[in-house]
Amino acid sequence: MILGKCPYCKANVVAIKSTANGKKVNLYTCENAKKEYDDSDQFVFTSDSTCTFRVYSNVFLRWNKRSFSKYEMKKLLEDEQVIIRLHGRRGTSEYFKYVITDKEYGVSILWDEEVENEKETFS
Ligand SMILES: [Zn+2]
């Protein structure tokens, strides 16, 4: 499934099924960013990879967001940013933050930026 264009090399970003720590996750990856296990079992980019844009759907698990959805990824690629909903430690308080693409980490949260119109966004 093609979600959009890579912000760095303009190739297709596709969603593929993967696993992380035994759990099923989606991997959103630029078609030019492929990884494999090398001889010493390191998970590295293949020699023909020309890009590094890869994001796992559980990327925001630390902030109690279980899954970064295909829809959210698609919107991020279209608008260069997307608003996501994060949760406090006990799942009580929720808050909203902007996410942008990041060349090194795939995506990053703009912690200093306040989201003012989250109601509009989610209505
Ligand atoms: Zn790319």
Side-chain angles (χ1 to χ4, degrees):
M1 180 186 183
I2 295 171
L3 300 176
K5 297 278 174 218
C6 173
Y8 305 108
C9 73
K10 307 291 172 215
N12 289 327
V13 172
V14 295
I16 53 178
K17 295 207 185 304
S18 184
T19 52
N21 300 322
K23 294 225 165 72
K24 280 184 188 155
V25 294
N26 283 318
L27 170 64
Y28 311 122
T29 178
C30 170
E31 287 181 326
N32 292 327
K34 286 167 281 186
K35 276 191 163 184
E36 65 181 3
Y37 287 98
D38 70 5
D39 296 340
S40 53
D41 254 1
Q42 299 286 332
F43 198 47
V44 295
F45 284 103
T46 59
S47 54
D48 63 340
S49 287
T50 52
C51 191
T52 57
F53 187 68
R54 289 164 61 91
V55 178
Y56 283 97
S57 59
N58 65 355
V59 61
F60 300 121
L61 205 56
R62 277 177 61 188
W63 297 282
N64 299 307
K65 180 174 173 55
R66 234 172 276 162
S67 180
F68 184 56
S69 72
K70 286 179 198 169
Y71 169 77
E72 288 169 315
M73 189 63 190
K74 210 170 169 181
K75 195 148 173 46
L76 172 64
L77 294 172
E78 264 166 31
D79 301 345
E80 294 172 0
Q81 66 176 33
V82 65
I83 295 168
I84 58 164
R85 189 196 317 233
L86 302 171
H87 293 273
R89 202 161 276 276
R90 285 164 193 273
T92 47
S93 56
E94 60 177 35
Y95 54 102
F96 297 84
K97 284 291 167 192
Y98 289 106
V99 161
I100 56 163
T101 59
D102 183 290
K103 197 153 196 189
E104 193 173 351
Y105 300 107
V107 285
S108 61
I109 298 172
L110 294 180
W111 290 110
D112 297 337
E113 208 83 31
E114 295 299 325
V115 175
E116 278 167 17
N117 292 318
E118 71 265 21
K119 293 236 164 60
E120 258 168 54
T121 310
F122 283 92
S123 62

